[in-house]
């Protein structure tokens, strides 16, 4: 149902660097990019038939602000990838909003997630639903 979600930035170059490096860890790459006349709109995805994440300077020219209660959640297939995305986000200048771990009960529908903010303050979550993978990683 969701095609892509867009986040605001006041520094498109910094945002592009952050998301190139962060989303590249899960195989996403830039799939659409416009110049300054369109706010620098840039979108990442793993393919055109999957949801993407985009950043742009606000169209109205005002400062970008993170939404209170807004968050983009990125699903991955291993808990280790949750850990890696969270760590990479912090290395790239993001901030921690909740370290990797199980929220609720462990088991077949366990929610393993980590929360972080990008350098503009936009909140993201990396998560996997299901038990610890076969290697025993959490």
């Amino acid at each position: 149902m969701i095609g892509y979600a867009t986040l605001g930035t006041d520094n498109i170059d910094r945002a592009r660097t952050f998301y190139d490096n962060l989303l590249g860890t899960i195989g996403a790459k830039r799939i659409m990019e416009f110049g300054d006349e369109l706010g620098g709109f840039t979108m990442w995805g793993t393919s055109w038939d999957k949801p993407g994440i985009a950043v742009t300077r606000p169209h109205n020219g005002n400062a970008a602000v993170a939404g209170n209660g807004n968050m983009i959640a990125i699903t991955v297939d291993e808990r280790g990838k949750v850990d890696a995305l969270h760590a990479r986000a912090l290395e790239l200048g993001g901030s921690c909003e909740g370290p990797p771990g199980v929220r609720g009960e462990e088991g077949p529908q366990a929610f393993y997630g980590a929360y972080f903010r990008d350098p503009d303050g936009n909140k993201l979550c990396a998560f996997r639903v299901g038990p610890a993978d076969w290697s025993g990683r959490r």
Side-chain angles (χ1 to χ4, degrees), residues 65-113:
V65 293
N68 185 21
N70 296 340
M71 180 180 74
I72 293 179
I74 303 166
T75 185
V76 295
D77 59 355
E78 296 177 12
R79 290 182 179 190
K81 290 180 182 177
V82 171
D83 299 346
L85 273 173
H86 184 264
R88 189 69 175 135
L90 301 186
E91 290 171 8
L92 294 167
S95 59
C96 180
E97 284 285 309
V102 174
R103 272 56 175 189
E105 299 291 321
E106 183 61 83
Q109 297 299 309
F111 183 91
Y112 186 89

Side-chain angles (χ1 to χ4, degrees), residues 10-94:
D10 289 323
N11 186 327
I12 194 69
D13 293 328
R14 179 186 66 199
R16 285 174 174 161
T17 298
F18 180 85
Y19 286 102
D20 281 344
N21 287 287
L22 178 70
L23 299 177
T25 64
I26 58 169
K29 61 183 178 189
R30 291 185 197 186
I31 59 175
M32 183 182 290
E33 183 175 343
F34 296 111
D36 287 339
E37 70 281 0
L38 294 174
F41 180 94
T42 306
M43 183 167 57
W44 291 261
T46 55
S47 70
W48 280 104
D49 63 339
K50 304 284 186 211
I53 295 174
V55 295
T56 190
R57 286 186 302 276
H59 181 70
N60 64 8
N62 292 338
V65 293
N68 185 21
N70 296 340
M71 180 180 74
I72 293 179
I74 303 166
T75 185
V76 295
D77 59 355
E78 296 177 12
R79 290 182 179 190
K81 290 180 182 177
V82 171
D83 299 346
L85 273 173
H86 184 264
R88 189 69 175 135
L90 301 186
E91 290 171 8
L92 294 167

